[in-house]
Amino acid sequence: MHKVVISGTGLFTPPNAVSNEALVAAFNQYVTDFNTRNAEQIACGELAALTHSSAEFIEKASGIKQRYLMDASGVLDSERMVPLLPPRSNDELSVQAEMAVAAAGQALAKAGRTAADVDMVIVACSNLQRPYPAVSIEVQQALAINGFAFDMNVACSSATFGIQTATNAIATGSARAVLVLNPEICSAHLNFRDRDSHFIFGDACTAVLLERAESATAANLLEVVDCKLATVFSNNIRNNFGFLNRCDEGNSEPLDKLFVQQGRKVFKEVCPLVGEHIVAHLAANDIAAANVRRFWLHQANLSMNQLIARRVLGRDAAADEAPVILDRYANTSSAGSVIALHLHHEDMATGELGVLSSFGAGYSVGSVILRKC
Ligand code: CO8
């Protein structure tokens, strides 16, 4: 069995930063127009008036201040509220592959590797733009990687599930080095007309290069000490979009074909699940939580992360122990915890430990214990 290290990480940040204020202005314009258009029905009680959103609420309830989007113009157009991402021809690099190639290039450069050193590519994310051919195989071709590639989907936990798969492949010798890529275009699956959730998500793509420890030469190496994954079925975060939709001609209600959640229930159920998962994972490896230098947690909600860190540490985590990136990026699904890792690991001292943890729909939770080499 080979020891495995993360030798490089990468981050593609979309060009359009959208503040809560801009998002709320578009939403509130939509609400005003809706209420004006339907004034008579609202007045006689046939229709409920819609209520404005608020930037203050968003920051207080979630910790999110802004997000990056692949397209802002379509989202901020109160008549549209859907990103404008024109289809590309089959001969052009598809948009998720383009994001993944950009992030992968950074991870390879950080690791001091080229495509010739890699022989497996995993694209792991919540929403894939098509069923086939796999986006990962398109990325493999774009980067000129020999070997094999496949796509995975475990919602927000896709990154840690991908990292475990990559670790196993390297440890057992079926791959020398693996790219795990998380291209998330959450904005295309978000209902920007829904007051409860219009602010939650952003777009981004992360990349992690894993390889055999014995031959890794990068300046910053994180040894994969152990991975632990768990899933428990729940309908509290659900998206019914899928190929069977076209077989139901009577279904004209598209709202459940987008992201839908019971946010309060998710909060209450997922926090203990993740807290206990990480505590058990550390215990199984004889590691005291106090000896963990850093927690790179999934970035869905600031209070959630504070609560999980408290459950694990038995006290509040310092900002430096559990870095927050969701204020700038919002929830970028599987990319979130890896963005935190990408931005906050190079300062760690040799031997220090960290835990990368993602959690979300499924429910699913994954944790990866890492040691700075
Ligand atoms: N503006 C102003 N007020 C609002 C707004 C708004 N936009 N929205 C709600 N309110 C009001 C409500 O009306 C309510 O008022 P009242 O008390 O008078 O009834 C009050 O605020 C409280 O409402 P909530 O109970 O809904 O608010 P919460 O405090 O629970 O906060 C959150 C809402 C932020 C959504 C919170 O519940 C949360 O973060 N929960 C966890 C969410 C989570 O982690 N989800 C995971 C999803 S990610 C995943 O795994 C799926 C990935 C798939 C990617 C898909 C891409 C799209």
Side-chain angles (χ1 to χ4, degrees), residues 24 27 51-58 60-64 126-127 154-157 184-191 194-202 236-239 258-268 270 298-302 304 331-334 359-364:
V24 165
F27 180 89
T51 310
H52 283 163
S53 180
S54 114
E56 296 72 41
F57 167 84
I58 294 171
K60 191 162 162 282
S62 68
I64 296 164
S126 279
N127 294 296
V154 204
C156 294
S157 300
E184 294 285 10
I185 311 180
C186 300
S187 59
H189 267 268
L190 182 56
N191 180 359
D194 175 35
R195 180 173 178 258
D196 290 345
S197 65
H198 75 110
F199 54 88
I200 292 179
F201 291 99
N236 290 332
I237 312 168
R238 190 159 174 133
N239 182 336
L258 295 169
F259 168 85
V260 181
Q261 76 164 355
Q262 305 290 325
R264 276 278 157 107
K265 280 192 185 163
V266 173
F267 195 110
K268 275 195 190 151
V270 168
H298 174 49
Q299 306 277 320
N301 178 295
L302 182 58
M304 242 172 144
N331 182 346
T332 53
S333 194
S334 64
F359 40 88
Y363 294 136
S364 56

Side-chain angles (χ1 to χ4, degrees), residues 39-306:
E40 276 182 28
Q41 282 170 285
I42 291 168
C44 66
E46 282 173 21
L47 203 63
L50 297 181
T51 310
H52 283 163
S53 180
S54 114
E56 296 72 41
F57 167 84
I58 294 171
E59 190 173 340
K60 191 162 162 282
S62 68
I64 296 164
K65 295 178 183 164
Q66 64 157 43
R67 70 285 296 136
Y68 293 95
L69 301 181
M70 292 301 284
D71 170 68
S73 63
V75 169
L76 297 180
D77 175 354
S78 61
E79 298 287 328
R80 178 181 168 89
M81 303 183 87
V82 175
L84 193 58
L85 298 171
R88 297 180 178 186
S89 81
N90 289 357
D91 298 328
E92 291 173 283
L93 194 63
S94 57
V95 62
Q96 277 189 306
E98 186 175 284
M99 297 164 79
V101 165
Q106 291 179 25
L108 287 168
K110 282 269 181 197
R113 292 292 179 202
T114 68
D117 302 309
V118 181
D119 35 30
M120 178 173 167
V121 179
I122 301 173
V123 164
C125 61
S126 279
N127 294 296
L128 284 155
Q129 69 178 86
R130 60 168 185 265
Y132 46 82
V135 173
S136 54
I137 302 177
E138 190 183 3
V139 173
Q140 178 197 351
Q141 187 201 38
L143 292 171
I145 289 171
N146 288 319
F148 61 103
F150 55 90
D151 294 348
M152 289 175 61
N153 175 355
V154 204
C156 294
S157 300
S158 298
T160 48
F161 279 59
I163 286 171
Q164 192 203 49
T165 306
T167 300
N168 291 346
I170 296 164
T172 55
S174 56
R176 293 165 303 151
V178 182
L179 274 167
V180 180
L181 309 168
N182 318 107
E184 294 285 10
I185 311 180
C186 300
S187 59
H189 267 268
L190 182 56
N191 180 359
F192 284 100
R193 294 192 176 96
D194 175 35
R195 180 173 178 258
D196 290 345
S197 65
H198 75 110
F199 54 88
I200 292 179
F201 291 99
D203 305 330
C205 178
T206 45
V208 172
L209 183 76
L210 297 107
E211 60 177 298
R212 291 176 185 171
E214 69 220 34
S215 49
T217 56
N220 280 289
L221 297 174
L222 292 161
E223 181 195 342
V224 179
V225 177
D226 194 34
C227 304
K228 180 178 164 72
L229 312 178
T231 48
V232 185
F233 187 71
S234 168
N235 277 321
N236 290 332
I237 312 168
R238 190 159 174 133
N239 182 336
N240 283 326
F241 181 79
F243 76 101
L244 289 178
N245 296 159
R246 66 185 290 271
C247 306
D248 179 8
E249 286 167 13
N251 189 349
S252 59
E253 176 52 76
L255 294 183
D256 75 331
K257 311 299 182 294
L258 295 169
F259 168 85
V260 181
Q261 76 164 355
Q262 305 290 325
R264 276 278 157 107
K265 280 192 185 163
V266 173
F267 195 110
K268 275 195 190 151
E269 292 173 6
V270 168
C271 289
L273 187 71
V274 178
E276 282 155 28
H277 179 97
I278 295 174
V279 166
H281 193 191
L282 290 172
N285 284 274
D286 288 325
I287 296 169
N291 292 334
V292 177
R293 172 75 184 86
R294 193 152 287 157
F295 294 88
W296 303 282
L297 299 177
H298 174 49
Q299 306 277 320
N301 178 295
L302 182 58
S303 311
M304 242 172 144
N305 284 16
Q306 289 169 340

Side-chain angles (χ1 to χ4, degrees), residues 8-13 68 106 110 204 206-207 222 294 296 299 320 323-329 335-348 356:
T9 59
L11 168 62
F12 167 82
T13 299
Y68 293 95
Q106 291 179 25
K110 282 269 181 197
T206 45
L222 292 161
R294 193 152 287 157
W296 303 282
Q299 306 277 320
D320 181 47
V324 173
I325 61 93
L326 65 81
D327 53 343
R328 277 180 294 153
Y329 281 85
S337 59
V338 185
I339 299 176
L341 174 75
H342 173 75
L343 297 175
H344 299 279
H345 74 275
E346 292 187 357
D347 62 322
M348 287 169 67
L356 176 78

